Amino acid sequence: MRNKGTFLVFLGVLLVVIDQVIKVLVKTNMTLGESIPVLGNWFQLVFVENKGMAFGMAFGGVIGKYILTIFRIVLFGALCWWISKLLKRTPKVPMGVLVGLTLITAGAFGNIVDCLCYGLIFSESTYTTVATLGSYAPFMQGKVVDMFYFPLWTWPDWVPGLGGHIFFEPVFNFADSCVTCGAIYLILFHWKFFAKE
């Protein structure tokens, strides 16, 4: 159990560090809206910030931001508690379940860091200036840094409701990817475990 716990902590910390390194590099080297092609037009680094949820969705202004950040913190705490509880039940709990939950937990924490700290330690990013050390928002009001953009194709005009729109328009970050991949992995490969739970 101790070895599994150590591995999960290491994995979680590694994912958060990767997420934060990417975000800090983007925040301190790119202007807001700047785009860098990685694989032609199919994969780009595009620096955007969002005040709310994953994939740029917003939630209720300043009060909504406080509620969302508190919700993220409570969710993070609940996930940590659940993982520690499941660890005590090994070997009955598959390692894949613990890894999937760790991905989700690390992703949640990565975006919590942005909300709690970025407004306090960085200056405002603009379309003409790169952020430096400073302050642009109070505690819990920081914006989440997003950068991954995959405009794989544009729907043909004849497709009802979708014509002319890009297939996948949201810009997201590494933490969002951890949450999404962890959730999809658990649904596809460990749904029987959760059905029993």
Side-chain angles (χ1 to χ4, degrees), residues 153-167 169:
W153 73 79
T154 301
W155 291 99
D157 290 334
W158 53 264
V159 178
L162 297 173
H165 292 279
I166 294 171
F167 165 69
E169 290 189 90

Side-chain angles (χ1 to χ4, degrees), residues 82 89 92-94 97 183-197:
W82 193 19
R89 291 174 43 200
K92 292 181 180 179
V93 178
V97 169
I184 291 172
Y185 170 73
L186 291 175
I187 290 167
L188 290 179
F189 299 105
H190 293 286
W191 61 271
K192 288 182 180 178
F193 172 82
F194 290 101
K196 289 177 185 175
E197 286 287 298

Side-chain angles (χ1 to χ4, degrees), residues 41-109:
N41 289 328
W42 286 24
F43 171 35
Q44 303 169 34
L45 292 179
V46 179
F47 176 28
V48 299
E49 292 181 307
N50 77 72
K51 299 176 182 178
M53 299 181 284
F55 305 113
M57 295 181 282
F59 181 71
V62 173
I63 299 299
K65 178 74 171 176
Y66 280 119
I67 293 170
L68 181 62
T69 303
I70 291 167
F71 172 75
R72 280 182 172 144
I73 293 168
V74 170
L75 176 63
F76 171 75
L79 284 167
C80 288
W81 172 81
W82 193 19
I83 292 169
S84 66
K85 185 178 174 187
L86 291 174
L87 263 172
K88 293 173 184 173
R89 291 174 43 200
T90 55
K92 292 181 180 179
V93 178
M95 189 62 181
V97 169
L98 298 169
V99 169
L101 289 172
T102 300
L103 283 169
I104 295 170
T105 306
F109 187 74

Side-chain angles (χ1 to χ4, degrees), residues 35-46 147-151:
S35 174
I36 300 173
V38 179
L39 291 174
N41 289 328
W42 286 24
F43 171 35
Q44 303 169 34
L45 292 179
V46 179
M147 74 293 296
F148 298 137
Y149 182 44
F150 291 87

